[in-house]
Amino acid sequence: MRGILTATGVVLVAALLYAGSCVVWPFGDCWVCSGTGHHRSASARRLSRPCRWCKAAGKRLRLGRRAWNRARRLHRDITR
Ligand SMILES: [Zn+2]
């Protein structure tokens, strides 16, 4: 029983830390282009195209922040 409580506490603290980091740093590097904004194909190294995933920004909204924005939007739409 004590192990379950400890595990729950660890998960809770990790979730709080992640939520806090999503507030402070809402954007992360794009995982497709590694933050460069350009996608380079492996076969043709000289060809570089704008990254479609981040629209060449090199940054993407983190998952926790995206969920937070969606929840806020939902709350706003319900309470109006
Ligand atoms: Zn990208």
Side-chain angles (χ1 to χ4, degrees):
M1 190 65 193
R2 194 181 172 132
I4 293 171
L5 284 177
T6 307
T8 307
V10 167
V11 168
L12 214 68
V13 166
L16 279 174
L17 286 174
Y18 179 71
S21 76
C22 281
V23 170
V24 178
W25 301 287
F27 294 99
D29 277 348
C30 174
W31 57 273
V32 175
C33 62
S34 309
T36 59
H38 292 277
H39 186 64
R40 201 168 285 214
S41 67
S43 57
R45 288 187 158 240
R46 294 174 68 187
L47 281 177
S48 176
R49 281 183 262 166
C51 179
R52 280 187 287 175
W53 184 259
C54 61
K55 294 177 182 124
K59 298 285 178 192
R60 54 147 190 83
L61 207 55
R62 293 173 72 193
L63 201 67
R65 184 66 183 216
R66 200 174 300 165
W68 172 255
N69 286 351
R70 184 169 291 182
R72 276 188 58 176
R73 198 170 302 140
L74 194 68
H75 180 261
R76 192 187 62 207
D77 291 348
I78 289 171
T79 52
R80 258 189 199 172

